[in-house]
Amino acid sequence: MRTTWKRTFATVVAGGLVFGSAACSDDPTSEDAIDLDGKKVAAMADYKAGQQFKAGEAVEFGILYSDHPNYGIKDDWLFWKELQQRTNVTLKPTVVPMSDYEQKRSLVVGAGDAPAIISKTYQGQEQAYVASGAILPVSDYLDLMPNFKDKIEKWKLQPELDTLRQEDGKFYLLPGVHEEVWPDYTLAFRTDELQRLGLRAPTTWEEVRTVLRALKVAHPDSYPLSDRFEGKSILNYAAQAFGTHAGWEYRNAQWDADQGKFVFTGSSAEQKQLVEFFHGLVQEGLMDPESFTQKDEAAVQKLGAGKSFAISSNAQTLVNDYRPALKNTPGATIAKITVPAGPASDGVGISRLENGLMISTKAAESDKFVAMMQFIDWLWYSDEGQEFAKWGVPGKTYDKDGSGKRALRPDVAFGGLNVGAPQHLQKNFGFQGGVFAYGGTTELLQSMFTPEEIAFQEAMKAKEVNPLPPPHPFTAEERERATLWETSLKDAATQGTLQFILGDRDIAGWDAYVEELDTKGMTQYMDLVNNAYERFKTKNR
C-alpha cells in the first residue's frame, strides 16, 4: 500500500477538556449531539471495548500530522500497511513539520480546512477553537468510544478530565490517558565527576547549587550546568518545586490555595523566588547563560567536551545523546537524578493526561462518522491499538513470549534497546511515533524502559503528586475578552523571567515589572479567571 501525502494549507484563527459529572451528558443522546442516523457506513454494529475494530468497507480518514525531524514520515512504513490490514482504514496525512505545527494548525482549523482528525494538541490549545464551532464537542459521542470510557472509569481519571471542562460542560479534546503519573524530565549529572569529588547526587535545588559550586571549584573554566531545550525544560520541572509554572508549562493563572483564588503567575512571590534562584546560578557562573538560547546540539557538544557536567534529560536523551557524546571520555558516566525538591514541594505536578486529538466539526457531516470514532477509539485507546502503535508487529519488529513479555527483534533498535542494530523502530517502521503512541497501562509504558529508567520511576513514586488546580472555564464572551490579554501577558512574563535570570534586568526592579504587567491587563484578566472559577464552583457544588 502507498499512502498519498497532502501538503497544502489554507488560512487563520487560534486555539478545557472534560468528562464529567455535571453540566452535560457525555454521550450521543445529548440534546446538542448530531443525529447519527445515516452516519454509520462502514461502522461495526456491536463494537465493544477489547474488540478488534475493522471497518465494514475500505475507508480513508484525513489526519493533521506533526512530522518529527528525527524520524521523518515515510510512505512505506510498516505502520501504515499493518494498520490498513487490521482496520480497513487508510490514513491520509496532511504533513506539517513539527517546528511549524502550532501555527499551521491554527491556519487550517481557523479556515475550516482541517482534516477530520487533528492530532498532537495539548490541553488548553483547543480553547481558541471552541467558540467558532470549528471543532467537535467530543464528549457528546463517548458512547461510540467504549475503550476510552473503560479507561476513564477503571483509572479514575475524572478529576484530571474535569480540569479540561469548558463552560458548556463539554470537552473538545480527546486526550491521551495514562494509568499512572510518570515524570520523565530532570537533571542528569556526570556521576563519575560526582564520585571523584566525593559528592552525592543532589535531592533538593539547594543541594543542586551546592554540587554545582563544587564542580565549579574543580573546573573553574567551565559552566557546570549548560542546559538544552532553551531552558524551558528545567524551568518547567523546577517551577513545580517552587509552587509556580514556568518554561514549557507556563500558564498565566496560578492557584493559590491559601487565598482560595488564582493569582497571576508571572508576578507571584513563588515566581520571584524561582527567578532569584536561577539568577543566582547564572551570576555565580554555575549555569551557562546560553542555556536559554543555544541549540540542543551545542549543549550536548559542551557536555561531551567536558565543558559542562549537568544537563536536562529524559530517558531517551540520556541514552541516545549524552552517553554517545561521552564515549571518547574514558570513565565518563552520566545518570538522571530524581526531580529535586524545592521550597514549596517535593512533589510532581504532572497530569495523567497526554496531548491528544481534536475532531473537525466537518467530520460529523460524513456518513462514516461513527466508523471514524470507533477507529480512533481502537487505535488510541484500546490495549491492542496502543501496543500496536508502540511495539509494531509480532515477528517483524518484536517478539512476545508466553508470559506476555515483549522484546524487540535483534535487528531493531529503539532508545536504549538493541543499540547499534541496523533498523530503527521509529525511522524504519513508523512505530513509537509522537502522533500515535501515547497513553496506556503502566506495564505498556515501562515495557521499553531500561532497568535504569524503571529504577528512576520507582524512586519518583516516593514523591507526592501535587494537587490539580480547580477548573475555571470561560464563557464564549469571556474567552473573547481573555484573548485580548493572554498572549501579551504571557510574552511579558516569560521575557521578564529571562531578563531577570540573565541579569539584563535588576531584580530590584521587580515592582516596576509587576506594574508593567498591570498596564497589559493583568488585573482585568485575573478578575475574569476568578469570576469564572467562582461561577463554576457554584454550579458544580
Side-chain angles (χ1 to χ4, degrees):
M1 180 198 73
R2 301 287 288 181
T3 304
T4 303
W5 310 131
K6 178 184 172 190
R7 296 182 181 268
T8 58
F9 303 102
T11 2
V12 93
V13 171
L17 240 131
V18 218
F19 191 88
S21 44
C24 76
S25 64
D26 293 330
D27 62 54
T29 62
S30 167
E31 61 183 20
D32 298 323
I34 60 168
D35 186 351
L36 298 179
D37 288 342
K39 300 184 184 298
K40 300 178 181 178
V41 173
M44 294 179 65
D46 194 23
Y47 175 62
K48 297 182 178 67
Q51 183 179 9
Q52 171 66 54
F53 168 79
K54 189 157 190 175
E57 62 183 65
V59 293
E60 180 180 271
F61 302 129
I63 182 170
L64 194 65
Y65 185 97
S66 175
D67 194 24
H68 199 291
N70 292 346
Y71 45 95
I73 193 168
K74 297 178 182 177
D75 61 5
D76 63 350
W77 274 346
L78 178 62
F79 176 88
W80 309 117
K81 180 180 179 180
E82 184 72 18
L83 184 68
Q84 195 278 333
Q85 290 178 351
R86 293 191 188 196
T87 66
N88 219 7
V89 172
T90 298
L91 286 176
K92 184 178 182 182
T94 297
V95 181
V96 183
M98 188 175 73
S99 58
D100 297 330
Y101 190 73
E102 289 188 29
Q103 178 185 9
K104 298 293 188 184
R105 182 183 59 209
S106 292
L107 293 174
V108 295
V109 175
D113 293 333
I117 303 169
I118 305 161
S119 73
K120 204 72 175 176
T121 300
Y122 289 84
Q123 177 180 345
Q125 293 178 341
E126 82 283 11
Q127 291 176 355
Y129 309 113
V130 171
S132 69
I135 57 174
L136 206 64
V138 288
S139 55
D140 282 345
Y141 307 100
L142 295 191
D143 274 0
L144 305 178
M145 306 186 68
N147 289 291
F148 180 86
K149 289 181 69 174
D150 181 59
K151 285 180 167 53
I152 299 308
E153 183 178 350
K154 282 195 308 188
W155 298 345
K156 297 179 172 59
L157 280 161
Q158 286 90 343
E160 280 95 332
L161 291 173
D162 278 345
T163 67
L164 306 165
R165 191 185 295 273
Q166 297 297 311
E167 169 63 18
D168 60 5
K170 302 183 181 187
F171 62 89
Y172 292 73
L173 182 72
L174 286 169
V177 293
H178 288 280
E179 182 179 9
E180 295 181 296
V181 164
W182 68 286
D184 192 9
Y185 287 84
T186 184
L187 278 172
F189 275 84
R190 277 277 302 275
T191 46
D192 59 310
E193 276 299 297
L194 298 189
Q195 291 169 3
R196 187 179 71 84
L197 297 172
L199 301 169
R200 292 188 308 168
T203 59
T204 69
W205 283 104
E206 278 305 317
E207 289 178 5
V208 167
R209 178 166 21 211
T210 299
V211 168
L212 293 176
R213 284 171 173 164
L215 287 165
K216 181 72 173 180
V217 170
H219 305 275
D221 295 331
S222 76
Y223 287 111
L225 168 58
S226 186
D227 212 15
R228 64 184 298 178
F229 307 121
E230 297 180 332
K232 294 175 182 177
S233 175
I234 194 170
L235 290 178
N236 178 38
Y237 57 80
Q240 297 169 23
F242 281 79
T244 185
H245 309 293
W248 277 332
E249 294 190 22
Y250 174 84
R251 61 195 75 162
N252 284 324
Q254 172 182 313
W255 177 246
D256 188 319
D258 292 335
Q259 296 188 59
K261 69 176 185 178
F262 287 91
V263 298
F264 187 73
T265 303
S267 63
S268 67
E270 294 83 4
Q271 188 79 190
K272 184 179 181 183
Q273 192 175 15
L274 175 75
V275 164
E276 288 174 329
F277 177 82
F278 279 94
H279 171 65
L281 297 187
V282 172
Q283 188 177 43
E284 286 189 51
L286 306 179
M287 184 174 188
D288 187 352
E290 293 182 357
S291 296
F292 300 92
T293 54
Q294 68 188 349
K295 298 294 184 184
D296 288 357
E297 295 79 5
V300 175
Q301 288 171 2
K302 290 175 181 178
L303 178 74
K307 295 180 179 179
S308 68
F309 302 90
I311 188 170
S312 286
S313 180
N314 60 31
Q316 287 196 49
T317 56
L318 184 72
V319 174
N320 294 341
D321 296 344
Y322 307 151
R323 286 179 177 153
L326 291 166
K327 66 182 179 181
N328 294 323
T329 304
T333 56
I334 187 167
K336 290 165 62 176
I337 64 170
T338 56
V339 178
S345 170
D346 187 21
V348 288
I350 299 173
S351 170
R352 289 182 290 168
L353 305 186
E354 267 281 7
N355 74 72
L357 310 173
M358 297 186 294
I359 306 299
S360 168
T361 301
K362 286 186 175 180
E365 300 171 5
S366 169
D367 61 2
K368 302 177 182 64
F369 174 70
V370 172
M372 186 189 77
M373 297 302 289
Q374 292 176 344
F375 165 75
I376 289 171
D377 180 66
W378 180 83
L379 179 56
W380 276 275
Y381 299 105
S382 75
D383 291 345
E384 297 81 4
Q386 290 171 337
E387 181 181 60
F388 164 73
K390 188 177 187 71
W391 278 91
V393 182
K396 294 183 179 178
T397 58
Y398 77 102
D399 295 312
K400 194 172 184 179
D401 65 21
S403 68
K405 184 177 181 180
R406 310 169 196 83
L408 287 177
R409 300 282 290 176
D411 60 341
V412 180
F414 175 75
L417 307 175
N418 297 345
V419 176
Q423 305 262 52
H424 191 275
L425 188 64
Q426 292 172 315
K427 297 175 184 178
N428 299 103
F429 299 102
F431 298 104
Q432 186 57 44
V435 171
F436 303 108
Y438 276 116
T441 64
T442 300
E443 184 279 325
L444 181 66
L445 172 70
Q446 295 188 356
S447 63
M448 283 186 177
F449 284 178
T450 62
E452 176 183 16
E453 180 61 18
I454 290 175
F456 170 79
Q457 294 295 332
E458 286 299 314
M460 288 298 297
K461 284 183 179 179
K463 295 180 178 287
E464 295 182 357
V465 177
N466 294 334
L468 295 166
H472 54 282
F474 290 140
T475 64
E477 186 270 337
E478 286 169 338
R479 164 55 50 201
E480 189 173 338
R481 290 174 60 199
T483 303
L484 299 175
W485 297 306
E486 282 179 328
T487 300
S488 60
L489 284 170
K490 179 179 180 179
D491 289 347
T494 53
Q495 289 169 13
T497 294
L498 184 58
Q499 289 168 344
F500 284 123
I501 288 173
L502 295 178
D504 296 335
R505 191 166 184 170
D506 193 330
I507 199 71
W510 183 264
D511 290 344
Y513 154 75
V514 173
E515 290 175 7
E516 290 171 16
L517 291 172
D518 212 27
T519 65
K520 297 181 182 295
M522 177 178 69
T523 298
Q524 298 99 310
Y525 176 74
M526 293 314 303
D527 286 343
L528 268 188
V529 169
N530 282 303
N531 287 339
Y533 158 66
E534 291 291 344
R535 181 180 61 247
F536 181 88
K537 182 175 67 171
T538 300
K539 287 172 65 176
N540 293 278
R541 279 177 177 157

